[in-house]
Structures are given as structure tokens and as C-alpha cells.
Amino acid sequence: MPIQAQRSDGNRVNASRAHCGFGLTVPLVLHFGLILGGAFAAMLLLSGPAAAQQNLVFDVLRDGEKIGEHRVDFEHEEDCLKVSVETDMAVRFAFVTLFRYDHKRVERWRGGALDSLAGMTNDDGQEYEVSIVQREGTYSRTVNGIDEEISGPVAVDSLWSQDRLTAGKLFATTSDKVYRVRSDMLGKETIDLGGNPVETVRYRLSGQLSRDLWYGPDGMLAHLRYEDDGYVFEYVRR
């Protein structure tokens, strides 16, 4: 069933209108500069139930207090892998909502390459509708109805796997932003994951975007931390 997102003006947008047939050949660059390689290719060979077990759920914390949830769900559609990403955050004081952030997107991947992406974001009242498609041999990124033609490889900021750390220009999936970043591996660290100690590999993204990311033995995101407006935000995998 197509996923739809509700805009504040009441209109509904089909977030899965782009389908596998677009054939976009784009290296998968994970959120803030990580190209997905072997781990993703292996997932493509899984059956539907097996892939469903790989779904990721995170608690979103601000200064240690839970303010929301981040989900990454995997589903097979013929020869495509459908990845549904959803983030909901809200900061409240008493009965007043001081800040709200909602994001939904659908990515479709075939053979380790991005076929299509479509999503919507409401960043505390600022709305973004983003899509990336291939058109006549070039890439087109549309943000709020404004098209941008892109030549050469396209890197998008999708976050959920480790392989092939890279750096360079990243196109945001949640807004109109474009980042220049570098990446460094900081080494192995043992963290708590679901109440158990798990050995992870830690990376740091810097430049126009700063993020610390931990990836578990499965190559999938285990923990994310960054600072914004004086607060420490964390994505803690359950």
C-alpha cells in the first residue's frame, strides 16, 4: 500500500509515488556520508520475513530525555528493497508543545543502487517535500516543487548502514540543504545495546555537519549523537 504523508494544509502526498522502474544508479551514501556496500547487497538476498527482522527502532533523546522515535523498516517488492524511514520528535512543557519534528520518506533500492526517493518533513512548521529521480540520463532533485538537475554521482543522507566510509557533497533527504563533510573512523567501542554490551565501530562526520555514529557487528546503525542549539541529541537503538 502506498505510504502517504499529511501536510499541515490538509493535502496528502504519496511518498511512494517513485517506483523501481526509474532505474536510478546512485551510490548509496548513508546519513552524513556512508556508502552502503556488502551489507546491503546481502540484505537484498533475504526473504521478506528475514528482512523484516532487520527493522531498526531508536529512541530519540535530548539531554538524556526521550522526545521521540526513529524507525527504519525494510520490505521486499519483487527485485527492489523498500526502506521506509520515519522520525517523530516533540518537546513539551506542561501541556504546551514547544517544538515538533515529523519526517517520513520511502527509498527504493535495486542491486545496491538507489532507484527512487520521496519524502516529507515538517520541521516545526517549516515543510519540505523532497524527491530524487533519474530523467534522461541525469538526476533530478525536487524540493518543494523546485527542480535541480544534478550531474555525476548523487550522495543522499540516508543513515542506516556502515560500509565504505566516504566524504564529499551530501544532498539532504529532509530539507533543501546540501552539506560538505569529511569522515574519520575513531576505532572500536563497546556500548550498551538493548541491555547487552556490544562491540561497535565509531565514526565521526565533520565539516558542515557534525555527527558521531556507532555501527554494530551487523553493520547497521547502533547509536547516533550530535549537538544542536546547545542540546545533545542521541538516537539509541533498542
Side-chain angles (χ1 to χ4, degrees):
M1 176 178 293
I3 290 180
Q4 292 186 322
Q6 182 82 36
R7 298 181 62 116
S8 62
D9 58 11
N11 294 327
R12 300 189 71 84
V13 176
N14 186 346
S16 58
R17 62 189 180 279
H19 56 79
C20 295
F22 284 136
L24 180 61
T25 305
V26 183
L28 167 56
V29 180
L30 298 176
H31 209 24
F32 320 133
L34 304 175
I35 296 183
L36 182 62
F40 177 81
M43 288 183 63
L44 287 177
L45 301 178
L46 296 175
S47 65
Q53 294 177 6
Q54 303 295 322
N55 292 347
L56 308 176
V57 183
F58 299 82
D59 291 323
V60 181
L61 311 181
R62 188 186 74 156
D63 284 350
E65 179 181 354
K66 182 177 177 179
I67 62 168
E69 182 177 281
H70 176 75
R71 295 187 58 91
V72 184
D73 294 335
F74 304 99
E75 178 184 350
H76 281 274
E77 294 182 340
E78 296 179 353
D79 60 344
C80 293
L81 178 65
K82 174 183 174 183
V83 183
S84 300
V85 181
E86 184 171 353
T87 306
D88 298 294
M89 293 186 283
V91 177
R92 298 182 175 90
F93 179 76
F95 299 102
V96 179
T97 299
L98 304 178
F99 171 82
R100 184 156 196 91
Y101 178 93
D102 299 292
H103 170 73
K104 292 182 180 180
R105 75 174 179 270
V106 173
E107 309 164 1
R108 282 183 168 85
W109 303 88
R110 180 194 295 163
L114 181 67
D115 258 14
S116 62
L117 181 149
M120 290 193 62
T121 303
N122 187 326
D123 187 354
D124 204 32
Q126 178 64 58
E127 295 187 346
Y128 296 96
E129 181 184 351
V130 178
S131 67
I132 298 177
V133 297
Q134 184 184 28
R135 294 176 180 170
E136 298 179 356
T138 63
Y139 307 125
S140 177
R141 179 177 183 243
T142 304
V143 181
N144 292 349
I146 300 176
D147 293 333
E148 175 188 9
E149 298 301 315
I150 305 169
S151 59
V154 173
V156 298
D157 63 349
S158 189
L159 162 94
W160 35 274
S161 184
Q162 164 193 336
D163 295 348
R164 298 184 190 176
L165 192 67
T166 189
K169 180 189 291 188
L170 302 180
F171 293 89
T173 59
T174 60
S175 71
D176 58 353
K177 294 181 179 179
V178 181
Y179 305 104
R180 290 278 185 180
V181 301
R182 62 166 289 169
S183 58
D184 297 284
M185 186 177 71
L186 302 184
K188 295 182 178 180
E189 291 188 12
T190 299
I191 67 171
D192 181 88
L193 185 60
N196 299 305
V198 174
E199 186 176 83
T200 64
V201 180
R202 181 178 179 179
Y203 296 93
R204 175 164 293 163
L205 274 292
S206 60
Q208 294 180 319
L209 200 64
S210 298
R211 297 288 187 272
D212 280 15
L213 307 103
W214 289 257
Y215 289 88
D218 58 358
M220 309 302 279
L221 183 69
H223 194 95
L224 163 69
R225 184 169 68 201
Y226 64 95
E227 295 186 19
D228 185 36
D229 199 25
Y231 297 99
V232 176
F233 290 84
E234 296 177 271
Y235 286 29
V236 180
R237 184 170 159 187
R238 295 179 187 171

